[in-house]
Amino acid sequence: MTRHQKRLSAPNAWPVERKTATFTVKAGAGPHGEAGVPLVVLLRDVLGYVDSTKEARYALNEGSVLVNGAAVSDEQRPVGMFDILAFTERKEYYRVFPRTGGRLALTEIGADAAGSRLGKIVGKQYVAGGATQLTLHDGENIRLEGDVEYDTKDSLVVDNDTGEIVAHFPYEEGALVTAVDGSHSGDIGRIDEITVTAGSGDNTVTVDTDNGGFETIEEYVVVIDDQFVDDDASAAADDADDSADTDADDESAEGGDDE
């Protein structure tokens, strides 16, 4: 298995410029699978808090950078959709959110909102002892005693400190959703109709938005809370996208391997 990651072959969700250098940092093992963005990419290319991987290591060793409430020291730790990134010394908090084209961006949030994270249920099974195990989109498993009311495609809000479920948003008509993949990635609206396709085809969902609406496969939508439609948060995400473009251009003078 290669230890390197070329920019041109990086997942589309990664907020990196493709042609400023040959290589970028490869994500380590962890949540979100191949879609997970190495933490150093967010620190360097998006936020501009460090200029190199070495500087990122020094910064993370201070213990003031948290992902989902836990201090992170590995600069290659994958960060992905709906993760919470906190800088305790700066008192800055961000949520990773998909934007147009599926590219991940950082949305600035308040300290109160940073105490929990959203997760989409992608798996549900019964395990030994009569417990129910839920698998979230980032690979995390939550074990609950007995039968539960939660179903796949529902969304949960999980407290970062306790790991307890603090809110539940069912996947149903009328639910507020955002598209996280496909041509409508980043669009937010309410489910108007869920169409079940016979056979092996994907079920589809029609979503009403302020701009008229769209149709996509249900795998591409996630049920969210009303806090995700805050206008100020959306503006902050756009600013983060602009910062990514500027910082990536500056990086091109450093060399081809991003170390």
Side-chain angles (χ1 to χ4, degrees), residues 117-227:
R117 66 190 183 280
L118 188 78
K120 178 181 179 179
I121 302 175
V122 297
K124 176 182 178 180
Q125 61 181 333
Y126 297 102
V127 295
T132 301
Q133 179 175 286
L134 305 176
T135 301
L136 303 185
H137 72 279
D138 60 358
E140 179 183 0
N141 291 320
I142 300 177
R143 182 186 174 102
L144 301 172
E145 295 302 322
D147 197 7
V148 296
E149 60 178 323
Y150 314 128
D151 293 315
T152 55
K153 299 185 284 293
D154 290 357
S155 291
L156 304 174
V157 177
V158 181
D159 186 274
N160 287 333
D161 292 330
T162 66
E164 295 181 353
I165 297 172
V166 296
H168 168 223
F169 305 111
Y171 174 75
E172 59 188 8
E173 293 181 357
L176 185 68
V177 296
T178 183
V180 298
D181 204 344
S183 60
H184 297 283
S185 180
D187 290 351
I188 294 175
R190 293 194 178 275
I191 296 178
D192 178 59
E193 182 180 8
I194 299 172
T195 302
V196 178
T197 303
S200 60
D202 294 314
N203 296 339
T204 61
V205 56
T206 303
V207 181
D208 284 337
T209 69
D210 292 339
N211 298 322
F214 61 90
E215 182 178 353
T216 186
I217 61 175
E218 64 180 6
E219 179 184 350
Y220 286 175
V221 298
V222 177
V223 184
I224 58 175
D225 190 4
D226 287 337
Q227 65 176 315

Side-chain angles (χ1 to χ4, degrees), residues 28 30-31 36 38 65 68-69 76 89 91 120 150 168 194 200 209 228-229 234 239 241 244 252-253:
V65 180
N68 297 334
Q76 292 181 285
E89 292 186 359
K91 296 183 179 180
K120 178 181 179 179
Y150 314 128
H168 168 223
I194 299 172
S200 60
T209 69
F228 284 80
V229 298
S234 297
D239 291 340
D241 275 341
S252 61

Side-chain angles (χ1 to χ4, degrees), residues 77-104:
R77 196 271 195 197
V79 177
M81 184 175 65
F82 302 130
D83 279 347
I84 302 296
L85 188 60
F87 299 90
T88 55
E89 292 186 359
R90 292 173 172 267
K91 296 183 179 180
E92 294 179 1
Y93 308 90
Y94 298 91
R95 179 188 292 112
V96 182
F97 195 76
R99 303 297 294 168
T100 302
R103 203 178 196 191
L104 296 177

Side-chain angles (χ1 to χ4, degrees), residues 15 17 44-48 99 103-106 234-250:
E17 294 302 306
R44 182 190 60 199
D45 300 345
V46 178
L47 294 170
R99 303 297 294 168
R103 203 178 196 191
L104 296 177
L106 297 180
S234 297
D238 292 336
D239 291 340
D241 275 341
D242 294 339
S243 176
D245 294 339
T246 302
D247 292 330
D249 289 339
D250 294 339

